[in-house]
Amino acid sequence: MAVSKKAGKKAAAPAKAGAAKVAKADWKEGFKKKQVGVSDMTLLTTISNESINDNLQKRWLNAEIYTYIGGVLISVNPFRDLGIYTDEVVQKYKCKNRLEVPPHVFGIAESAYYNMNAYHENQCVIISGESGAGKTEAAKRIMQYIAAVSGGQDNSIQEIKDMVLATNPLLESFGCAKTLRNNNSSRHGKYLEIMFNAQGEPVGAQITNYLLEKGRVVGQVENERNFHIFYQFTKAASDEQREQFGLQGPESYAYTSISNCLEVQNINDTEDFVATLNAMRIIGLTANEQSEIFRMLAIILWLGNVQFEEMDDGNARIADTGVTDFIAYLMDTDPSMLQKVLTTRVVETQRGGRRGSIYDVPLNPAQATAGRDALSKAIYNNLFEWIVSRINVSMKPRDAVSHVIGILDIFGFEIFEDNSFEQLCINYVNEKLQQIFIELTLKTEQEEYVRERIKWTPIKYFNNKIVCDLIEERKPPGIFAALNDACATAHADPAAADNSFVQRTAILSSNPHFEARGAQFLVRHYAGDVTYNIAGMTDKNKDALIKDIFDLIGSSGNQFLQSIFPDRPDPSSKKRPPTAGDRIKGSAGALVDNLMKAQPSYIRTIKPNQNRSPTEYDSKAILHQIKYLGLQENIRVRRAGFAYRNTFEKMVERFYLLSPSTSYAGEYTWTGDAKSGCVQILKDTGIPKDEWQMGVTKAFIKNPETLFALETMRDRYWHNMASRIQRAWRNYWRYKNECAKRIQRFWKNNKEGLEYAKIRDYGHQILAGRKERRRFSLLGYRRFMGDYLDLNGKNALGTELRSACGIGAEEVNFSCKAQLLVSKFGRSSKPSPRFLVVTSKAVHIVISTEKDGPVHFALERKIPLITIKSVSLSNLRDDWMVFNCNASEEGDPILHCYFKTELVVQLLRLTQASINVCIGPTVEYAKKKDKKQVISFVKDETIPRDDVYKSHAVRVPSGEPPNSVSRPPPKRKPGTVRPITQGKLLRAGGPSNNTKGTSRTKPAAQPLPRKSATDATVAPPVVKAPSAPPPPVQEEPDVDRYRAKFAFEGQEGEMSFKKDDIVELVEKDDNGWWLVRKDGQEGWAPNNYLELVPRKPKGAPIAPPPPARRPPPSAPPTTTATSTFKNTTSPKPAVGNASAKPVAVFPGVVPSNSSATPWKKPAATDTANANSAGSRPGSASAAKPPSVATKPKPTPPQVATKPTLKQPGKPPIPSAPRPPVGNGSAPKAAISRPTAPAGQLDLAAALAKRAQRMADD
């Protein structure tokens, strides 16, 4: 579509080849589109019908079709596509109140959807206006917007959205038609209810149908059309359907060609038929159901081609029985029975309540034509009702329904040259909707101001209740009652019934809005005077099928045809069946009841001209619509009234968070009544006094801007609370991470040393006080490291030693340098350096030799661990040891090793302590096989260090006593302990005079108005401890007192103090926070900010003890670590409770369950109610709520299977040309139009649009 010159920008000229220059910025683009007129007509300087018309005309000519009157949307049909319903426009209106964006139907949809979620009330959108004003389009756009913004990623939710949108093309095809005033006029009314769950996601929908204009099926005035589906079906049906149903073009059927209008501008019947089939598929209609629907349409089309001839006796006969034979084939019934039903009527006489004779009365051509048309209208009307009910089955709720948004799209007010019963019903429904609008926006509002004693200037308006009573009342009888009486008294003759109704209209002449005019009568509606023709009105009111037609349908073998006629009259019943007037009155009453249960939003549509021109603006016609829609009175009431009102209780419940006087940490704390609470809230939020008034039971707010400001503050409150919680949570994690880092740092620095220390302690146990110790082996930092040569690492020495020992990747448990006592022939034995490598299997002795430069390593001896029986050591401080092995030629190795104790420990660990440790003054060893030698050990203080071996004797100086143990580890250098301040849980300390007072005392929570006391979480009252008897003057209180070293500004739940303030200790905690008392107020404080005040000596008796405090929480359970070594016991480290929460890491944050602040400890506690959760922050496991039972899903009704045809064969398709228009042709049907609805709202939610919603997290 080309961009409009008036509404868009000119197309840029194509750039010349080779001229690649950047386009110069246009300064005009920096300005917004200039607003024409006023977007809200409550701002008009002069309030009159002419000024309203001028404003609407300016905006309409500038492509601004929407205008507000407060919360009511005025829409003027543009008769062209303005491109204002795209997805980008939808996002522009999402989560916005109506003041932030220009007037639009999406703004009304957003308001209804938001109010449903925010106020938990059902909503409805009432669209009113005359035919062709754009009601159906507005309803479609509301459904489009709700489907786009209602969220939900579940497949069933998306399926419901698709079905709701698919109802538009489907019902438009079957329920809309081209009229003189509108190419897509709704010839029925519908009320669509979209059902939502608690999360605001659509879970189902339901459609209620009102007053289909079935007379259009059999006749239309010149240049109008039948329902769209007939033209779509006859033009775009498939070849298979044409063969099956004998289908031809629309020009071949009387019902579609009688008005000489087969084509409509801007309507493509072929494309629309594709959209209709797609909608059927989305709704879930099966192929068999679709085929049966088209079969019914074919039956109706062929019934219109049944023509009657007048015989000599004046009776009618069928001109072409081939047409009836084909219809009987389609209906699966007997052709002769069909012909009989169309040409005769069965009459049964009664005498004295008893059955009499039965006669077959032949019909004349006019009567036969009327019977044929009655059958066609009944089939189409019942088919339409079946489609609506089938849609409802497909869209049944998939989940629990919390709220509903209703959208009313109904025929508009109609005034034609020939107005009959259909126009009377349509205009009556419009009168009811106008009455709802008057009741809720004018009459009820002004009555409420008087009842609530609000200062108010009354506005005059026209109340159309007198017109509604004229049509629907029983006593005195109205038009519908008079019609029913006329039908009952002269039921056999339609002309006599009409004459009876003419006589009865004289009774109605006393009503100023009624005027009898012979065969006509005039009703002065709110939208104008309408003259109705009485001829045929009583017959249309009866709207009853004869018994012969029901018998014909009952004899049909087509189960679908029978299923669309479920209710058949009981011939033995004496009760008068309901008339069409009764049904439309009942439907209108039910519609009004539904609308009054919801909070309405209004869209008032205006038709700018009768020619559907996008440039013509008919001021005279629009002034008439402005007058009967009551826009001037609506503006006056809106300007003088109050946009929002609600009960004190609901007002407080909605906005109590905004005042510190009525709330504390999300809890309601106001102790006064609800009215005074409302006043306090409005004062604390800074709302001017002239913006609100207090009534008897409700609070009234004048301008919607004020309400939007309150909603914005409420949204910001939750945003700020969420930010505080997030900040505290992040602080907690910073604090936790800092603690974890310190623990990890300590553990990393000490974990290996602790393990090594355990091995060292095991060595003390092995020696058992039998051997003197070297001083260096008892050092505090001495650890049994094991692999001193680092064979388990990747150094060159380790690699060479592994290669020499041939141990591959086997783990080395111990390695060190040592000396092996080597005996020389003819000389004394002499120690020689070696390398010791101990694995889990053997002890390897490696020798290194240097030859021609490089050093070579060779395995000198490998001693399997299983061959070592014992290890011998002396009882002195020397470093010699002997491995007593099995008898071998090599003898027992004698080693000198500084790490002898550790080597023995490793050997015992690897052999599960199967090696004996022998300690004595001498050491015996096998020099060779079966040759024993003894080495003696002698104390010699002259030896400067270590020991000296010579001739089987070792001289060694004195060592540490045998019972010596390792020295304690050296103390670290003393330093200042840094407090944990990561996460800003503590404010900057140090000397400062810029401190705040003590934190605000938390008031007790109160139940919200109209709620039971158990609904609110009431904090335990602060009970002060009973005062002790006055002690002597010299006596100090028997509690520890601390002086503040620095100033501290506490958050909520913490104690604030200045430097040198004195506080009393109530409770200590190991996490660095203490519970202290100051001036009768308790709170938590960091212990590193406090120093103990020394007590003065007491000369007087001890004062009575303070009140008993609640016991501290029990210590966490401990676990015992399993010892790694034999005959040892490992210490029992304390294990933290994983389910417990850290203490005092959320200072000032209210718990999520809205309970009282847990670290506000009362001065005195009741032991019966005391628990550890009340003394400081802790973990409280909340019980899970019971699961909600799932709603059972009803199974959809089964559709009967398609029966087999009884006919022996399909008859030939009739080739009769289009019947001529004349006697016997279908009579002109009266034209009917749709109306618009109204709903009930406390004007609160209808005019209350919320402020801009804060961005999602």
Side-chain angles (χ1 to χ4, degrees):
M1 178 179 178
V3 179
S4 170
K5 294 182 179 180
K6 190 174 295 182
K9 294 182 290 186
K10 295 181 180 179
K16 295 182 180 180
K21 294 184 179 180
V22 179
K24 183 178 179 180
D26 186 1
W27 62 272
K28 295 180 181 179
E29 295 181 358
F31 293 86
K32 293 183 179 179
K33 183 179 179 180
K34 184 178 180 181
Q35 178 175 328
V36 178
V38 293
S39 60
D40 192 331
M41 287 191 288
T42 57
L43 305 177
L44 287 174
T45 305
T46 304
I47 303 177
S48 65
N49 291 338
E50 288 74 17
S51 63
I52 295 173
N53 178 61
D54 291 342
N55 186 69
L56 293 177
Q57 183 176 6
K58 291 177 184 178
R59 293 177 63 79
W60 186 79
L61 292 175
N62 198 54
E64 299 286 347
I65 64 172
Y66 294 116
T67 310
Y68 282 130
I69 300 179
V72 179
L73 181 69
I74 310 301
S75 172
V76 185
N77 194 337
F79 291 117
R80 57 177 170 144
D81 184 7
L82 299 177
I84 57 175
Y85 306 110
T86 61
D87 293 339
E88 291 77 10
V89 179
V90 169
Q91 295 303 319
K92 178 180 176 182
Y93 282 82
K94 185 177 180 181
C95 303
K96 301 287 176 57
N97 65 62
R98 66 178 181 85
L99 296 183
E100 298 178 275
V101 283
H104 201 286
V105 66
F106 289 165
I108 294 294
E110 168 63 25
S111 174
Y113 182 67
Y114 173 82
N115 290 337
M116 179 196 71
N117 290 321
Y119 299 101
H120 307 292
E121 294 174 331
N122 293 339
Q123 305 289 317
C124 68
V125 181
I126 302 175
I127 311 170
S128 60
E130 69 175 54
S131 178
K135 299 182 299 300
T136 301
E137 185 69 17
K140 289 162 59 176
R141 297 308 175 185
I142 290 173
M143 286 185 268
Q144 171 195 348
Y145 183 86
I146 292 177
V149 304
S150 53
Q153 302 298 326
D154 188 78
N155 290 335
S156 63
I157 293 175
Q158 188 60 43
E159 185 181 23
I160 288 295
K161 290 182 181 181
D162 296 339
M163 287 185 181
V164 169
L165 297 178
T167 60
N168 290 319
L170 182 58
L171 294 184
E172 280 186 13
S173 296
F174 284 86
C176 294
K178 189 263 183 190
T179 64
L180 294 177
R181 296 185 177 183
N182 187 0
N183 287 345
N184 190 35
S185 177
S186 295
R187 309 318 299 160
H188 72 109
K190 70 173 180 180
Y191 184 55
L192 171 65
E193 295 175 288
I194 305 176
M195 306 170 186
F196 297 86
N197 57 18
Q199 290 75 39
E201 299 168 343
V203 294
Q206 180 175 343
I207 296 176
T208 305
N209 177 50
Y210 298 99
L211 193 65
L212 176 71
E213 187 197 3
K214 57 186 177 182
R216 179 168 293 273
V217 175
V218 299
Q220 313 90 37
V221 299
E222 191 74 12
N223 288 327
E224 289 196 352
R225 291 209 315 179
N226 209 324
F227 291 102
H228 293 321
I229 187 62
F230 289 108
Y231 302 92
Q232 297 173 8
F233 183 44
T234 53
K235 291 181 181 180
S238 65
D239 294 339
E240 180 184 356
Q241 290 172 331
R242 293 186 181 278
E243 174 65 24
Q244 183 179 5
F245 304 129
L247 208 58
Q248 302 174 20
E251 68 281 352
S252 302
Y253 299 100
Y255 285 165
T256 55
S257 61
I258 192 171
S259 60
N260 297 319
C261 181
L262 301 179
E263 301 291 339
V264 181
Q265 185 179 3
N266 297 328
I267 291 183
N268 189 319
D269 294 313
T270 302
E271 293 180 358
D272 291 346
F273 187 64
V274 174
T276 301
L277 294 177
N278 184 55
M280 288 182 173
R281 179 187 58 79
I282 294 175
I283 293 297
L285 294 177
T286 64
N288 183 51
E289 290 173 330
Q290 296 181 35
S291 177
E292 292 299 329
I293 290 173
F294 295 133
R295 179 182 295 274
M296 296 302 107
L297 297 179
I299 291 173
I300 295 171
L301 289 172
W302 283 113
L303 276 173
N305 282 7
V306 175
Q307 300 299 309
F308 301 97
E309 297 176 343
E310 185 176 1
M311 297 186 296
D312 295 338
D313 56 359
N315 297 331
R317 70 178 179 186
I318 297 174
D320 184 0
T321 57
V323 178
T324 54
D325 290 344
F326 192 76
I327 296 173
Y329 157 74
L330 294 176
M331 296 179 65
D332 195 7
T333 189
D334 184 27
S336 60
M337 184 176 184
L338 174 62
Q339 296 174 17
K340 179 180 179 181
V341 168
L342 293 177
T343 55
T344 61
R345 178 177 300 179
V346 177
V347 177
E348 179 181 355
T349 61
Q350 291 186 356
R351 291 183 180 179
R354 294 179 297 174
R355 298 181 61 183
S357 302
I358 299 177
Y359 302 94
D360 290 335
V361 179
L363 303 176
N364 60 35
Q367 293 172 332
T369 300
R372 175 204 66 186
D373 291 344
L375 175 59
S376 300
K377 291 188 292 184
I379 292 176
Y380 191 81
N381 182 75
N382 288 18
L383 174 64
F384 188 82
E385 295 287 349
W386 182 90
I387 291 175
V388 172
S389 63
R390 180 64 177 82
I391 292 174
N392 290 337
V393 169
S394 296
M395 298 192 304
K396 64 183 182 298
R398 315 292 173 88
D399 199 355
V401 177
S402 297
H403 306 292
V404 171
I405 293 181
I407 304 170
L408 181 61
D409 175 22
I410 206 164
F411 22 62
F413 196 90
E414 294 186 344
I415 305 176
F416 297 127
E417 293 181 1
D418 181 14
N419 302 292
S420 186
F421 181 74
E422 292 84 358
Q423 280 67 46
L424 176 65
C425 294
I426 289 173
N427 295 340
Y428 161 69
V429 174
N430 279 271
E431 288 282 357
K432 295 293 290 183
L433 298 179
Q434 176 69 6
Q435 186 181 14
I436 290 180
F437 184 79
I438 292 173
E439 285 283 341
L440 296 181
T441 61
L442 302 175
K443 180 176 180 294
T444 304
E445 182 159 352
Q446 299 198 66
E447 290 177 353
E448 185 176 37
Y449 293 151
V450 175
R451 185 171 60 252
E452 293 287 335
R453 303 173 188 175
I454 298 297
K455 295 179 182 180
W456 164 255
T457 303
I459 304 297
K460 294 183 180 180
Y461 61 92
F462 168 67
N463 190 344
N464 72 330
K465 185 177 185 301
I466 186 173
V467 181
C468 294
D469 294 342
L470 168 66
I471 300 175
E472 68 181 2
E473 274 299 308
R474 292 179 178 271
K475 294 181 180 180
I479 296 176
F480 283 155
L483 277 171
N484 291 343
D485 292 342
C487 293
T489 55
H491 58 84
D493 187 0
D498 290 342
N499 292 331
S500 175
F501 177 65
V502 171
Q503 297 172 5
R504 295 174 188 277
T505 56
I507 306 175
L508 305 173
S509 298
S510 59
N511 192 304
H513 291 269
F514 183 86
E515 183 180 332
R517 296 182 176 180
Q520 297 177 331
F521 64 88
L522 180 142
V523 177
R524 294 183 175 87
H525 291 282
Y526 78 97
D529 299 345
V530 182
T531 300
Y532 297 97
N533 294 323
I534 296 178
M537 190 172 283
T538 55
D539 195 43
K540 294 176 181 178
N541 184 48
K542 285 194 298 185
D543 191 33
L545 290 176
I546 60 177
K547 178 177 179 295
D548 301 4
I549 293 180
F550 283 110
D551 292 341
L552 173 66
I553 294 173
S555 66
S556 171
N558 189 309
Q559 296 298 321
F560 182 82
L561 178 61
Q562 294 192 23
S563 67
I564 65 176
F565 285 88
D567 300 323
R568 302 176 188 176
D570 184 5
S572 61
S573 175
K574 297 182 179 181
K575 185 178 180 181
R576 179 177 64 85
T579 63
D582 294 333
R583 288 195 292 270
I584 191 61
K585 189 168 68 172
S587 299
L591 174 62
V592 170
D593 291 341
N594 283 337
L595 297 177
M596 297 293 279
K597 295 176 183 177
Q599 305 298 325
S601 301
Y602 297 100
I603 300 178
R604 313 285 268 176
T605 59
I606 293 177
K607 186 176 183 180
N609 59 75
Q610 299 299 329
N611 301 322
R612 299 183 291 277
S613 170
T615 58
E616 179 185 348
Y617 189 89
D618 189 349
S619 295
K620 183 179 178 180
I622 293 181
L623 278 170
H624 177 67
Q625 297 176 65
I626 291 173
K627 182 178 179 180
Y628 76 68
L629 289 174
L631 300 187
Q632 182 182 163
E633 292 81 0
N634 195 0
I635 294 174
R636 293 184 184 278
V637 171
R638 176 66 188 81
R639 288 179 65 161
F642 293 83
Y644 176 79
R645 79 288 316 275
N646 217 331
T647 59
F648 298 138
E649 293 78 11
K650 285 192 175 181
M651 186 81 175
V652 169
E653 181 180 352
R654 181 72 179 168
F655 299 114
Y656 75 89
L657 297 168
L658 305 184
S659 171
S661 302
T662 57
S663 68
Y664 181 89
E667 294 178 351
Y668 179 68
T669 59
W670 186 252
T671 56
D673 59 359
K675 181 176 181 179
S676 61
C678 286
V679 173
Q680 189 65 40
I681 291 170
L682 293 172
K683 285 182 179 179
D684 290 346
T685 51
I687 305 300
K689 182 66 176 69
D690 57 357
E691 283 292 320
W692 52 272
Q693 285 191 41
M694 292 293 133
V696 178
T697 61
K698 293 183 179 181
F700 292 77
I701 294 178
K702 190 171 185 61
N703 292 314
E705 294 83 355
T706 303
L707 177 66
F708 298 155
L710 291 173
E711 290 285 354
T712 300
M713 286 187 279
R714 188 175 184 273
D715 288 343
R716 287 178 179 172
Y717 175 88
W718 293 119
H719 175 77
N720 293 338
M721 286 295 102
S723 299
R724 291 181 63 182
I725 294 173
Q726 291 170 355
R727 182 167 58 251
W729 181 250
R730 288 191 292 266
N731 290 341
Y732 158 69
W733 275 105
R734 291 193 191 102
Y735 181 90
K736 184 176 181 180
N737 290 338
E738 177 66 18
C739 296
K741 287 179 182 176
R742 294 195 177 192
I743 296 172
Q744 291 168 356
R745 189 181 303 118
F746 173 82
W747 180 246
K748 289 178 180 178
N749 293 339
N750 295 277
K751 64 177 181 179
E752 295 181 357
L754 293 176
E755 293 296 326
Y756 298 144
K758 291 179 183 178
I759 302 175
R760 183 189 63 183
D761 295 338
Y762 184 40
H764 295 322
Q765 298 177 23
I766 293 173
L767 298 180
R770 297 177 292 170
K771 180 175 176 62
E772 293 183 1
R773 308 299 303 276
R774 298 175 62 227
R775 183 168 60 87
F776 286 106
S777 65
L778 299 178
L779 294 178
Y781 54 79
R782 170 75 172 93
R783 300 289 184 266
F784 284 5
M785 305 296 291
D787 185 16
Y788 292 98
L789 301 180
D790 195 22
L791 267 71
N792 292 323
K794 295 183 179 180
N795 56 55
L797 177 62
T799 304
E800 293 287 344
L801 292 177
R802 279 184 173 275
S803 176
C805 298
I807 57 178
E810 187 178 354
E811 182 182 1
V812 174
N813 299 95
F814 180 84
S815 65
C816 71
K817 293 181 179 181
Q819 288 181 315
L820 177 66
L821 190 63
V822 180
S823 59
K824 299 285 186 176
F825 179 75
R827 290 190 300 175
S828 175
S829 300
K830 184 178 180 180
S832 178
R834 296 291 188 273
F835 295 99
L836 283 182
V837 178
V838 180
T839 64
S840 59
K841 298 179 180 179
V843 177
H844 303 78
I845 302 177
V846 181
I847 184 173
S848 62
T849 58
E850 185 175 355
K851 190 174 183 181
D852 298 334
V855 179
H856 298 277
F857 298 91
L859 180 62
E860 183 178 16
R861 185 173 182 181
K862 179 179 179 181
I863 307 173
L865 297 183
I866 58 175
T867 63
I868 302 176
K869 298 180 178 179
S870 62
V871 178
S872 300
L873 299 94
S874 74
N875 58 357
L876 300 183
R877 54 148 284 182
D878 61 282
D879 298 318
W880 292 90
M881 60 187 306
V882 175
F883 292 164
N884 301 119
C885 305
N886 293 332
S888 66
E889 293 296 334
E890 296 175 303
D892 298 335
I894 306 170
L895 298 172
H896 181 277
C897 179
Y898 290 118
F899 306 122
K900 57 186 180 302
T901 306
E902 183 175 357
L903 177 57
V904 173
V905 168
Q906 293 293 345
L907 293 175
L908 291 181
R909 290 182 60 225
L910 295 174
T911 59
Q912 287 75 42
S914 62
I915 298 176
N916 294 325
V917 179
C918 304
I919 301 176
T922 59
V923 171
E924 184 179 4
Y925 71 98
K927 188 174 183 180
K928 289 184 179 180
K929 188 176 182 180
D930 300 330
K931 183 179 181 181
K932 300 292 186 179
Q933 293 286 342
V934 176
I935 301 176
S936 60
F937 294 85
V938 181
K939 278 189 179 184
D940 186 353
E941 304 300 338
T942 61
I943 302 300
R945 57 174 299 181
D946 294 342
D947 49 53
V948 177
Y949 172 84
K950 188 175 183 180
S951 301
H952 294 89
V954 176
R955 297 194 304 277
V956 58
S958 299
E960 298 293 327
N963 58 356
S964 299
V965 294
S966 297
R967 308 285 188 265
K971 293 183 178 180
R972 294 180 180 270
K973 182 179 179 180
T976 305
V977 178
R978 295 183 297 107
I980 295 178
T981 57
Q982 287 292 327
K984 298 183 181 179
L985 292 178
L986 300 177
R987 293 210 170 94
S992 174
N993 294 325
N994 185 18
T995 58
K996 296 180 180 180
T998 57
S999 58
R1000 174 187 171 193
T1001 304
K1002 179 180 178 180
Q1006 303 294 331
L1008 282 169
R1010 298 196 303 174
K1011 288 189 177 182
S1012 61
T1014 57
D1015 291 343
T1017 306
V1018 181
V1022 178
V1023 182
K1024 293 186 177 180
S1027 56
V1033 179
Q1034 302 87 356
E1035 190 171 11
E1036 292 272 332
D1038 193 17
V1039 292
D1040 291 335
R1041 304 189 341 149
Y1042 287 81
R1043 177 183 291 107
K1045 297 189 292 185
F1046 313 104
F1048 178 70
E1049 297 179 12
Q1051 297 180 7
E1052 190 174 340
E1054 301 172 356
M1055 177 64 67
S1056 298
F1057 46 75
K1058 300 179 181 178
K1059 183 180 179 182
D1060 296 329
D1061 282 356
I1062 303 299
V1063 297
E1064 298 179 2
L1065 179 64
V1066 177
E1067 185 174 345
K1068 285 187 177 182
D1069 239 336
D1070 297 335
N1071 62 352
W1073 290 81
W1074 291 353
L1075 187 63
V1076 298
R1077 181 188 297 113
K1078 175 189 173 188
D1079 299 331
Q1081 180 71 28
E1082 294 186 0
W1084 294 88
N1087 60 0
N1088 54 347
Y1089 277 52
L1090 306 175
E1091 61 180 358
L1092 181 65
V1093 177
R1095 297 191 183 186
K1096 297 181 180 179
K1098 298 182 181 181
I1102 299 175
R1109 297 195 307 272
R1110 62 188 63 178
S1114 58
T1118 59
T1119 59
T1120 304
T1122 306
S1123 174
T1124 309
F1125 314 116
K1126 188 175 181 179
N1127 302 327
T1128 62
T1129 303
S1130 301
K1132 297 181 179 180
V1135 178
N1137 186 358
S1139 63
K1141 293 183 178 179
V1143 180
V1145 293
F1146 283 81
V1149 178
V1150 179
S1152 61
N1153 58 2
S1154 300
S1155 61
T1157 309
W1159 45 82
K1160 285 274 188 173
K1161 183 176 180 181
T1165 53
D1166 185 2
T1167 57
N1169 298 326
N1171 54 49
S1172 60
S1175 61
R1176 59 180 176 271
S1179 63
S1181 59
K1184 294 183 179 179
S1187 58
V1188 181
T1190 57
K1191 181 178 179 181
K1193 297 186 177 180
T1195 57
Q1198 295 181 354
V1199 180
T1201 57
K1202 181 178 178 181
T1204 57
L1205 297 177
K1206 298 180 180 179
Q1207 301 298 329
K1210 176 182 175 182
I1213 299 173
S1215 58
R1218 168 191 163 187
V1221 180
N1223 292 337
S1225 63
K1228 292 184 179 180
I1231 304 133
S1232 55
R1233 277 218 144 134
T1235 342
Q1240 104 75 28
L1241 172 61
D1242 182 19
L1243 198 60
L1247 300 179
K1249 293 253 186 179
R1250 59 107 179 60
Q1252 180 181 5
R1253 188 179 300 167
M1254 307 304 293
D1256 294 335
D1257 291 341

